[in-house]
Amino acid sequence: MSEPKTIDLTPPGPFASHSTDLPRGGSMFLTFSNPKTQKSRKYGWATATLHLAPHMLSGINVCPDASAGCIASCLNTSGCGGRFSHIQEARVHKTLTVLHDRWTPSNAALQRISEELHRFQRKCERAGMKPAVRLNATSDLPWEEWLRLTDFHTIQFYDYTKNMERMHRFIMNPDWPWNYYLTFSRSEKNTHLTGAVLDAGGTVAVVTDVPKRQSFDEGWGEGRRVVDGRVHDLRFLDPPGAVVLLSALGHAKKDTSGFVLRRMP
């Protein structure tokens, strides 16, 4: 297995003129209105997400294993995120704040995220909903190293990742947080790794050219069990060894890099 890629967070860089003051009250980091995760409510799950500025938009690469096709197809600018510049600015601010504070003794941003997670957990308990959280909605960072995820006893964390080292530890390491589920995200440059993930019992998400309102016909998955990932985003409910099929959205519809898997005619 190749060596894991490191994320260069060396200050000052983009932090030189960045203010990391945190506003009081409310939810600065987590959001609760993602259209994709809203589908989970009918299954009894409420989902919170953390959207950072992906890849190099903040000046720091938070997606170290992203391929060219993934970067060009990123959903960061879809929905409201693509229509309002203040949302993009907020994501950059969140990113710099989180990464800057990892260099400070107080770790104020991580403490704030923990507080928001506890509030979300309590809110779900009062509402009779099960809480789920995606901390890497638009990033691929090692939250298992930054937060004590198992302290949030009722929250199911889950994310997609292109980092094979993280995926290997999720599948094989008994010390991996029991409530943090990872799905390997296939791209045009890591297809050769997907078989090993599936054979080990992991799941692999594949972006396809099938329109979101069209059913997947037979032939996908090359003999593997196939899951329609468009029904909901609760990837931790997928069966082991499954291929999770998704539809290309936004810029991905015009992908020519191989990031989007296209059916042979």
Side-chain angles (χ1 to χ4, degrees), residues 34 41 50 52 102 111 140 146 165 172 179 195 212:
N34 186 304
R41 297 189 68 85
L50 173 58
L52 300 181
R102 293 200 66 247
Q111 288 186 27
D140 197 351
W146 297 359
E165 179 66 20
M172 306 300 292
N179 57 340
K212 62 181 181 180

Side-chain angles (χ1 to χ4, degrees), residues 37-73:
T37 58
Q38 285 296 307
K39 296 178 182 179
S40 305
R41 297 189 68 85
K42 70 165 108 176
Y43 299 92
W45 292 85
T47 305
T49 55
L50 173 58
H51 286 86
L52 300 181
H55 193 47
M56 290 292 295
L57 289 185
S58 69
I60 301 172
N61 189 358
V62 297
C63 304
D65 293 275
S67 66
C70 177
I71 295 167
S73 302

Side-chain angles (χ1 to χ4, degrees), residues 5-183:
K5 295 185 179 181
T6 58
I7 300 171
D8 184 10
L9 306 180
T10 307
F15 303 135
S17 59
H18 177 66
S19 170
T20 59
D21 293 338
L22 302 181
R24 296 181 180 180
S27 178
M28 174 183 174
F29 291 101
L30 299 182
T31 57
F32 313 97
S33 58
N34 186 304
K36 184 177 181 181
T37 58
Q38 285 296 307
K39 296 178 182 179
S40 305
R41 297 189 68 85
K42 70 165 108 176
Y43 299 92
W45 292 85
T47 305
T49 55
L50 173 58
H51 286 86
L52 300 181
H55 193 47
M56 290 292 295
L57 289 185
S58 69
I60 301 172
N61 189 358
V62 297
C63 304
D65 293 275
S67 66
C70 177
I71 295 167
S73 302
C74 185
L75 293 176
N76 176 56
T77 55
S78 65
C80 292
R83 294 195 298 269
F84 303 112
S85 61
H86 72 274
I87 294 179
Q88 294 298 315
E89 293 169 0
R91 291 178 181 179
V92 169
H93 178 73
K94 290 179 185 180
T95 305
L96 295 179
T97 300
V98 168
L99 300 182
H100 174 274
D101 279 8
R102 293 200 66 247
W103 289 94
T104 64
S106 65
N107 280 334
L110 295 184
Q111 288 186 27
R112 177 64 172 268
I113 292 173
S114 293
E115 292 170 2
E116 292 184 20
L117 288 170
H118 279 298
R119 286 202 300 270
F120 176 60
Q121 187 172 237
R122 293 192 297 269
K123 182 177 180 180
C124 288
E125 290 173 355
R126 291 193 299 269
M129 300 290 287
K130 293 173 286 187
V133 173
R134 278 186 61 186
L135 293 171
N136 279 327
T138 45
S139 56
D140 197 351
L141 297 171
W143 291 98
E144 68 277 5
E145 299 175 8
W146 297 359
L147 292 174
R148 291 174 57 89
L149 300 178
T150 53
D151 286 350
F152 305 94
H153 306 297
T154 64
I155 294 180
Q156 174 65 61
F157 295 91
Y158 70 106
D159 277 314
Y160 298 83
T161 184
K162 289 183 174 62
N163 187 300
M164 187 61 174
E165 179 66 20
R166 293 184 73 219
M167 197 66 196
H168 181 266
R169 286 190 285 119
F170 160 65
I171 295 173
M172 306 300 292
N173 189 343
D175 294 327
W176 182 268
W178 59 266
N179 57 340
Y180 191 19
Y181 186 92
L182 294 183
T183 296

